[in-house]
Amino acid sequence: MKTTPSHPAAPPATPVRGSPGATAIALVVVVGSLMSVLDTTIVNVALAPLARDFAAPLTVIQWVATAYTLALATVVPATGWSVARFGTKRLYTLAICLFTAGSVLAGLAWDVRALIAFRVVQGLGGGLIMPVGMTMVVRAADKASMGRTMALLGIPVLIGPMAGPVLGGWLLDHADWRWMFFVNVPLGVVAAFLAVRVLPRDPAGTATAPRLDVPGLLTLSPGLVALLYGLTVAGRERSPAAPGALVPMALGAALIAVFTVRALTVRQPLVDLRLFGRRTFAAGAGVMALFPCAYFGSMLLTPMYYQVVRGVSATTAGLLGIPQVLATGLMMQVAGGLVDRAAPGRVVVTGVLTASAGFLAFTLQVGAGTPFPRLVAALAVMGVGVGMTMMPAQTAATRELSHAQVPQAMATIGITGQIAASVGGVVMSVLLTGAMTARGVTTDDHTAADAPRLADAFQHTYGWAVALMALAVLPALLLPARRTRRDG
């Protein structure tokens, strides 16, 4: 059966190919992405202090992070339709403005519920920044240099995770948690200005934009929220059969099943699941499901381990993460060139194995008194693997697609990664809470004598994440093991 692209997007008004146009667009996208990455990494280091300030348990405070990623996952499916309807420049600028407004509201939050709600507003804007930005970059870059151009989008991964935890830690130690969100405002203003002045104009596309798949949106997004909420309740109640957990999980699973069946049968679905019929795309998406679930889910716990078990300040916890993110960002630049010259399958498989080995070395050493250099070195090895995995997997997944298919492909890859990160955050929080309960300790009320048991709970949780990360090698093996003519 012939596959029809579900959301044909309007072509750029001025076709740009090669380095100058693609590089300029990529650098504008970098500024917006940097704001989003900074926010995420700042919040990660703040979960333990926020739990203390709001007197909220871990299963509640983790929704400050999960609500954001869920909102991302909610809006990403509509990216293909939105690009065709409004154009990339308008949509990107709107996303920056919405994210900035959400940052202001989050900084003004009066309790944890308000904070979680305003994080949703942030996520609705943040969910469009990367897929729309990547759509513009992929359209502008030629296939022979796509890996190098896409590697520019790794700059936020280099700068954000280095600056974010340290800046967030300093603000928590010396100022107020509200400034973690207010710091986004000046960067948001700069990003919006650059988007208006630099990005090329494109037609709104009202004549060719398809109808929005409203039934798809109303089944997928609530289904995801219900499923993850049920998982959270199951972790709190320590039983998936608890009424508060079983009902939302069953409802969420049913809604997602309805969405899946419908997406495979209607002509213009919200997310074109037929793209998974392409082996390379399916393999790349598979990597982007398993790997971020393990990586981002577990990385929510690392600053908490340093602060709660090891007793360091939020600033120190941020500083301890610099070698890992530095390794990730630098390797991402190298891997971008490698994907242009070598088979993507070999690059990604090597990355997954390297990341898993470093993560395993870290996990085996997690304890109440392990020397910090040993832990940091292991995480740096993992960072090298991360840099060789995620961006190369996305590049490989979209390289063989036409320009008309790119918005849908980027939306699908984006929602896969965001759902994976959301699920990972919930699952790891639930596993950690269960492990601490089984050992009779909590992150709130503990003494120095409890540190070994707390460390054991973290190590137990990390063990599950290592196994999940290693599973990503299976879809990675399905990526092309040889360069093709279409690779340039």
Side-chain angles (χ1 to χ4, degrees), residues 16-29:
V16 239
R17 294 190 60 91
S19 298
T23 301
I25 293 171
L27 291 177
V28 174
V29 173

Side-chain angles (χ1 to χ4, degrees), residues 69-248:
T69 52
L70 265 180
L72 262 68
T74 298
V75 74
V76 165
T79 301
W81 173 84
S82 300
V83 165
R85 178 64 178 81
F86 301 107
T88 51
K89 180 174 182 175
R90 290 183 183 181
L91 190 61
Y92 187 78
T93 306
L94 173 63
I96 294 293
C97 293
L98 186 59
F99 181 91
T100 305
S103 299
V104 174
L105 291 172
L108 297 174
W110 50 89
D111 60 23
V112 69
R113 292 180 179 84
L115 178 58
I116 291 172
F118 294 142
R119 287 285 286 166
V120 171
V121 177
Q122 272 190 296
L124 293 177
L128 293 171
I129 291 175
M130 183 56 81
V132 176
M134 291 182 72
T135 295
M136 292 188 289
V137 172
V138 171
R139 284 177 171 180
D142 56 61
K143 294 186 182 297
S145 63
M146 186 180 294
R148 292 186 294 274
T149 305
M150 292 284 281
L152 289 174
L153 301 184
I155 292 176
V157 181
L158 172 60
I159 299 176
M162 281 196 299
V166 178
L167 177 60
W170 186 87
L171 290 171
L172 287 166
D173 291 337
H174 302 287
D176 185 82
W177 64 265
R178 299 179 187 277
W179 284 99
M180 297 189 309
F181 302 105
F182 291 149
V183 293
N184 292 328
V185 177
L187 197 55
V189 172
V190 172
F193 174 79
L194 291 176
V196 171
R197 294 298 300 270
V198 177
L199 294 179
R201 293 182 179 180
D202 52 5
T206 53
T208 59
R211 293 173 62 91
L212 177 63
D213 181 14
V214 176
L217 192 64
L218 294 179
T219 50
L220 179 59
S221 299
L224 291 172
V225 173
L227 182 61
L228 291 179
Y229 176 77
L231 286 173
T232 303
V233 175
R236 186 177 66 233
E237 300 294 334
R238 304 195 67 189
S239 172
L246 186 59
V247 172

Side-chain angles (χ1 to χ4, degrees), residues 1 3-4 6 213 215-217 219-220 255-276 408:
M1 182 177 67
T3 300
T4 303
S6 61
D213 181 14
L217 192 64
T219 50
L220 179 59
L255 288 172
I256 293 172
V258 170
F259 167 80
T260 301
V261 172
R262 188 176 183 280
L264 292 172
T265 55
V266 300
R267 183 172 177 270
Q268 294 180 338
L270 184 69
V271 176
D272 190 3
L273 299 182
R274 287 173 288 240
L275 286 170
F276 286 93
Q408 262 293 310

